[in-house]
Amino acid sequence: MKPIEIYKELPKSNCSDCNEKTCMAFAIGVSKGDLKIANCPHLDNEKAQRIAANIVTVDWRLNIIKSLWEDIKDVDLHGIAAALGAAAHDTGITIRSLGRDFIVGSDRKITSDGQVTPWEEILLLLYIKTGGKGEPAMRWVSFSELRGGGVKVEAIRKEFEEPMSELFNKNPKQAIAAIESLGAELVSGQASEMAWRCHLMPKIPMLALYWPADTEFPARFKAVFDASADMFLDVESIVFLCEGFVKRIAQRMGLEVE
Ligand code: SF4
């Protein structure tokens, strides 16, 4: 069903009870598969079921993946492996990200131990697309200093710094074991009490600064990045990587993740 067809079935009151500003915004979200028709509490069951049965959603991420593979179809993976910080082998190259090895095959498939999500595939392909041109600056900067970072500061706080603080508040010992099991290295001489150098992608290191909880304040985290990080991925993709990192730590701690 097209957005306009879904819209026609809605009450058109723009009441926002579905957390969308307008019924039209809700209809667009439903047609893309991002929202569920049942989120509008003002539709009777029968109507909601009829609409749901007529919605065929296409995972738009698959189109992005297809187009990214097209973009890199002439790229010599072996030729750029060293620049990407990847290992070349007979069947393709291996890129290590967030403590996991991803094999990017010459057969245009990305595999790993366990499932590779569409987002992981997109981020790896975007990284490959840069060709690894450039070298890390070996200088830490705040997220807002990266190109475009100023408008995404809230995202890095919400998707990385706050959930990391929560995990470390919950069980610091287990959280420390989890972050180190993902290959993060403890670094000394930083402003915080503890800090880890984490590898989002081979050429995108992040320094996670950690202030443990005390009698006055809960645990606190701050992420800083190598000044060259925006040469290898855009800031939005970096936020996704950080979010994925938090999820992996939570998984290692045996916690449920969305
Ligand atoms: S809850 Fe339903 S009626 Fe209200 S804005 Fe959302 S779609 Fe429209």
Side-chain angles (χ1 to χ4, degrees):
M1 265 177 115
K2 291 180 184 156
I4 191 68
E5 292 168 328
I6 299 169
Y7 174 73
K8 281 181 186 163
E9 302 279 357
L10 298 174
K12 304 176 199 67
S13 62
N14 298 331
C15 67
S16 289
D17 288 346
C18 56
N19 291 324
E20 294 301 307
K21 282 194 181 140
T22 61
C23 292
M24 182 49 98
F26 179 75
I28 292 170
V30 171
S31 72
K32 283 184 185 167
D34 294 341
L35 301 173
K36 296 219 177 319
I37 191 72
N39 292 0
C40 171
H42 307 296
L43 280 178
D44 62 57
N45 261 349
E46 197 192 321
K47 198 176 209 181
Q49 278 176 15
R50 182 167 47 77
I51 297 171
N54 282 299
I55 293 169
V56 181
T57 55
V58 177
D59 189 339
W60 50 273
R61 294 171 301 183
L62 300 182
N63 286 335
I64 297 179
I65 289 171
K66 201 171 156 200
S67 131
L68 285 168
W69 275 114
E70 191 57 27
D71 290 346
I72 63 162
K73 70 174 191 301
D74 297 323
V75 169
D76 171 13
L77 287 177
H78 280 177
I80 61 166
L84 291 171
H89 43 80
D90 287 351
T91 50
I93 62 171
T94 297
I95 299 178
R96 192 158 180 82
S97 171
L98 309 181
R100 214 169 147 203
D101 284 334
F102 292 89
I103 298 165
V104 184
S106 322
D107 56 354
R108 291 162 67 103
K109 283 201 180 100
I110 299 184
T111 52
S112 185
D113 56 332
Q115 196 201 351
V116 179
T117 66
W119 275 120
E120 285 167 338
E121 187 162 359
I122 288 171
L123 295 172
L124 286 159
L125 292 172
L126 284 170
Y127 180 67
I128 292 169
K129 204 176 153 184
T130 67
K133 287 185 197 119
E135 289 306 320
M138 311 299 278
R139 180 168 57 85
W140 299 116
V141 297
S142 66
F143 187 75
S144 62
E145 290 173 80
L146 298 177
R147 194 170 359 122
V151 289
K152 287 276 168 194
V153 167
E154 190 59 15
I156 204 78
R157 190 178 60 74
K158 205 162 145 253
E159 305 298 348
F160 180 76
E161 293 169 351
E162 285 183 0
M164 282 291 277
S165 306
E166 277 170 32
L167 291 176
F168 277 70
N169 265 325
K170 207 171 274 193
N171 189 332
K173 214 169 151 186
Q174 211 183 24
I176 288 172
I179 193 172
E180 292 181 355
S181 75
L182 292 176
E185 301 137 11
L186 199 55
V187 180
S188 58
Q190 303 301 320
S192 57
E193 196 165 320
M194 292 179 89
W196 289 271
R197 184 184 169 95
C198 313
H199 304 275
L200 302 181
M201 288 282 180
K203 280 184 137 171
I204 311 181
M206 170 190 64
L207 191 65
L209 301 165
Y210 168 52
W211 290 264
D214 57 28
T215 47
E216 271 186 82
F217 299 105
R220 200 156 55 86
F221 256 91
K222 181 158 179 59
V224 292
F225 300 83
D226 188 89
S228 68
D230 52 13
M231 289 167 62
F232 305 109
L233 273 182
D234 60 276
V235 286
E236 200 155 353
S237 300
I238 292 173
V239 171
F240 276 120
L241 276 173
C242 291
E243 191 184 348
F245 193 48
V246 174
K247 283 185 182 164
R248 295 224 65 207
I249 291 171
Q251 277 166 345
R252 293 277 165 116
M253 291 171 72
L255 300 170
E256 291 275 327
V257 283
E258 283 173 23

